[in-house]
Amino acid sequence: MSDDSTAETADDNAQSDEAAGLAEGDFVTLEYTARTVEDGSLVDTTSQEIADEEGVGEDEEFEPRTIVLGEGHLFEPVEEAVIGADVGDEGSAVVDAEDAFGAYDEEEVRTVSANKIPEDDRYPGAHVDVDGEHGHVETIIGGRARVDFNHPLAGEDVEYEYEVVDTVDDREAKAESLLETMLGMDLDVWFQTDVEEEEEVVDDPEDLEESEELDDEDGPVTETVEVEKDTLYIEATPQLSMNQQWMMGKQQIAQQFIDLLDIDRIIVQETLGEGAGMMGGMGGMMGGMGGAGGGDLEEALEDADVDADELAEELDVDEA
């Protein structure tokens, strides 16, 4: 094949990739509004104007939302419609009831004791929690209540109208958008490459220099090596520590960040007060296999320019 033919093939492939549009794994910002097909009731929107018109979310801010295609951040039919699109494209997608909020199940309408419902909520239409299930009251007769435990939108087909606003390529912007999508929180984040020492098993101990000591001949031979850790730092806040989704699923959320951002680990950093000194930043750490870690005390003392021996002597004097 000639050089000209090779160049033409490369150009054709590049044009083909460009023409393919958005793909799974892309971070894309969407403007969308979802309504029920039957009567047009508002289900969800990113438009402040529509939210104001509908009188919903008075204390909320509505703006375009960034999702990761293929990660289930929106219903699958919507994501499938967006895949292959380009920035600026508009479209619509209908999500069948079964794929949206489920088919309506008559058996989920049950009679319960009215005593299980708070007295202030004993009226038709009230949203209640009974034995860990959420539902709404249909009727109350005597000491019995008829409660519908179906999702309020069960049995409803939902239509999404969307516009592809932009794509996100910056890593910090990706991390911030993931936090907003998963936790509904705006937190400070930054990336940093840390160099740390780790023990590594040596496949061929003869490769080690003679001056190095070998481990027990029955055990593995290791050496200390420096490794780089691509780390995402998240500035912890009181709101984060109280976030239910974070508390219940931080390991799963961390793993998604690690996979989607191609990093080694996440460190959640807490800074206490102004100039928090050596205690600032010794927060929890999460890696691919989970588990929490903090700073090493000796390293922390070195970073804070504190002599460990002098500190120990001072403590002995104080105790005396």
Side-chain angles (χ1 to χ4, degrees):
M1 183 180 293
S2 67
D3 292 341
D4 290 342
S5 298
T6 302
E8 290 177 5
T9 301
D11 290 341
D12 291 342
N13 290 337
Q15 292 174 4
S16 177
D17 290 342
E18 185 176 343
L22 298 170
E24 286 193 7
D26 286 345
F27 284 66
V28 55
T29 303
L30 298 176
E31 182 91 59
Y32 63 80
T33 294
R35 296 181 181 275
T36 58
V37 172
E38 185 175 352
D39 60 11
S41 298
L42 183 66
V43 175
D44 191 11
T45 187
T46 61
S47 168
Q48 187 67 57
E49 181 180 356
I50 292 176
D52 292 342
E53 290 175 354
E54 296 282 346
V56 299
E58 295 181 1
D59 298 327
E60 299 178 45
E61 291 185 7
F62 293 81
E63 57 186 11
R65 179 184 177 194
T66 299
I67 68 166
V68 185
L69 292 176
E71 291 298 316
H73 294 157
L74 285 178
F75 292 118
E76 186 175 346
V78 183
E79 292 194 0
E80 288 180 348
V82 174
I83 289 175
D86 294 306
V87 173
D89 285 354
E90 299 180 9
S92 63
V94 174
V95 185
D96 293 336
E98 289 79 4
D99 296 324
F101 301 98
Y104 191 84
D105 186 355
E106 293 287 353
E107 294 185 0
E108 287 300 308
V109 183
R110 304 192 295 271
T111 300
V112 302
S113 171
N115 292 330
K116 292 187 175 184
I117 299 174
E119 190 171 344
D120 293 342
D121 293 329
R122 294 176 189 172
Y123 61 88
H127 288 270
V128 296
D129 291 305
V130 179
D131 297 333
E133 294 184 272
H134 187 75
H136 67 272
V137 178
E138 286 193 340
T139 58
I140 290 187
I141 301 176
R144 311 293 288 174
R146 192 74 171 162
V147 181
D148 186 351
F149 291 102
N150 283 287
H151 188 283
L153 292 170
E156 297 278 3
D157 296 335
V158 179
E159 182 174 18
Y160 277 75
E161 294 185 349
Y162 64 85
E163 177 184 356
V164 181
V165 177
D166 203 357
T167 56
V168 179
D169 298 314
D170 179 75
R171 286 213 302 172
E172 287 190 6
K174 286 182 176 181
E176 289 169 354
S177 66
L178 278 176
L179 285 168
E180 177 65 32
T181 297
M182 294 181 178
L183 303 176
M185 304 186 70
D186 183 14
L187 300 171
D188 290 334
V189 302
W190 65 96
F191 289 89
Q192 182 172 305
T193 300
D194 301 323
V195 178
E196 297 184 356
E197 291 186 347
E198 287 187 358
E199 291 298 313
E200 185 178 272
V201 176
V202 179
D203 293 330
D204 187 358
E206 293 181 1
D207 290 341
L208 289 176
E209 296 181 7
E210 293 182 1
S211 60
E212 295 189 42
E213 294 184 5
L214 300 181
D215 290 345
D216 187 279
E217 59 181 12
D218 293 330
V221 178
T222 63
E223 65 176 331
T224 302
V225 296
E226 289 188 344
V227 295
E228 291 186 347
K229 297 287 187 181
D230 195 9
T231 305
L232 168 65
Y233 284 84
I234 300 175
E235 186 68 30
T237 65
Q239 291 77 15
L240 177 63
S241 64
M242 294 184 291
N243 184 284
Q244 288 290 329
Q245 288 174 286
W246 177 252
M247 288 191 294
M248 299 297 292
K250 64 173 65 176
Q251 295 297 342
Q252 292 82 358
I253 294 171
Q255 189 60 56
Q256 282 187 277
F257 271 75
I258 288 167
D259 294 339
L260 293 173
L261 299 174
D262 192 24
I263 56 178
D264 295 307
R265 64 184 182 180
I266 296 173
I267 293 180
V268 181
Q269 174 170 285
E270 181 179 22
T271 303
L272 305 177
E274 261 186 75
M278 70 177 184
M279 293 305 294
M282 296 174 65
M285 178 180 72
M286 293 177 296
M289 296 303 291
D296 181 88
L297 180 57
E298 292 182 1
E299 291 179 3
L301 291 173
E302 290 177 5
D303 292 341
D305 195 21
V306 175
D307 187 286
D309 293 333
E310 290 182 4
L311 179 61
E313 290 178 5
E314 290 178 9
L315 290 174
D316 288 340
V317 171
D318 291 340
E319 289 177 1

